[in-house]
Amino acid sequence: KIVNPSICDGKRVLIVEDEPLIAQDIASILEGYDYNISGIIRKPDLVFDHLKNDPPDIAILDVNLNAEKDGIDIGEHIAKHYEFPIVYLTAYADKKTIDRAKHTKPMGYIVKPFDEKDIFTTLEIALYNYANMLKPVVFDKALINKNIHSLLTEKEFEILKDIYDGKTN
């Protein structure tokens, strides 16, 4: 039987949140769902070094960080320089803020106050959608066989597709 495990297992999450209690609450929720926390950062200026040294699989960015740079500025930087999804977390759901956020192509937008289900479902769907965006459109046996020495059988190709789709047995 082929199973598709949770996309979140072992994924590393960066939390950028200036409120320590909220950040710790998010971390606790995520650890309960087998996410790993790559870092909790309260000040926007510290995010850039963390990204260079230890980029995560996904980031949760608070929009209002009570600093010169906000979460959307960080999101713009990530979109330009890295390849991982971002999710915004904010109390701000006004049109101006949402319009700014949209241009960074986030995979989610969580409005405070949030609950455990909001965090989990948003990250799960964000990671799944992002992974599927990165897949090539064509997964062709003839194209693969053209580039390898020992040709794949039909069964090997079927197994390869299942592995590529994240399935295990």
Side-chain angles (χ1 to χ4, degrees):
K1 182 178 178 185
I2 294 176
V3 227
N4 194 351
S6 172
I7 196 96
C8 71
D9 289 347
K11 293 292 184 189
R12 301 170 26 130
V13 182
L14 172 63
I15 300 168
V16 180
E17 168 63 64
D18 62 332
E19 295 290 332
L21 292 175
I22 294 174
Q24 194 53 54
D25 187 34
I26 294 167
S28 296
I29 289 168
L30 294 177
E31 287 168 340
Y33 285 103
D34 296 325
Y35 283 95
N36 294 317
I37 306 304
S38 74
I40 297 174
I41 300 177
R42 295 179 56 198
K43 298 181 181 187
D45 295 341
L46 302 176
V47 173
F48 304 106
D49 283 336
H50 184 85
L51 292 172
K52 276 188 228 170
N53 299 321
D54 192 16
D57 296 307
I58 188 167
I60 298 176
L61 308 173
D62 183 14
V63 171
N64 185 5
L65 296 169
N66 293 315
E68 187 177 319
K69 292 190 183 295
D70 66 9
I72 296 174
D73 295 324
I74 295 167
E76 287 172 352
H77 178 82
I78 290 170
K80 287 179 187 172
H81 302 287
Y82 297 92
E83 290 188 16
F84 61 84
I86 59 173
V87 170
Y88 289 114
L89 174 71
T90 184
Y92 299 94
D94 59 278
K95 183 168 176 28
K96 182 180 175 188
T97 304
I98 292 171
D99 285 344
R100 272 188 71 219
K102 284 191 297 190
H103 295 290
T104 65
K105 298 183 175 123
M107 288 282 123
Y109 196 96
I110 302 168
V111 179
K112 295 176 184 176
F114 60 87
D115 65 22
E116 181 176 319
K117 292 176 194 169
D118 295 331
I119 298 289
F120 170 70
T121 55
T122 301
L123 261 64
E124 188 80 4
I125 289 171
L127 285 165
Y128 180 83
N129 286 341
Y130 192 80
N132 283 312
M133 281 177 33
L134 299 177
K135 289 183 181 180
V137 177
V138 178
F139 196 65
D140 182 52
K141 181 179 150 195
L143 182 62
I144 292 171
N145 280 339
K146 185 173 130 179
N147 294 301
I148 60 176
H149 297 289
S150 180
L151 302 181
L152 292 176
T153 66
E154 192 59 42
K155 186 63 177 173
E156 288 170 328
F157 180 67
E158 186 179 313
I159 291 169
L160 182 62
K161 286 191 328 190
D162 286 341
I163 291 169
Y164 183 76
D165 287 338
K167 297 176 181 172
T168 62
N169 76 17

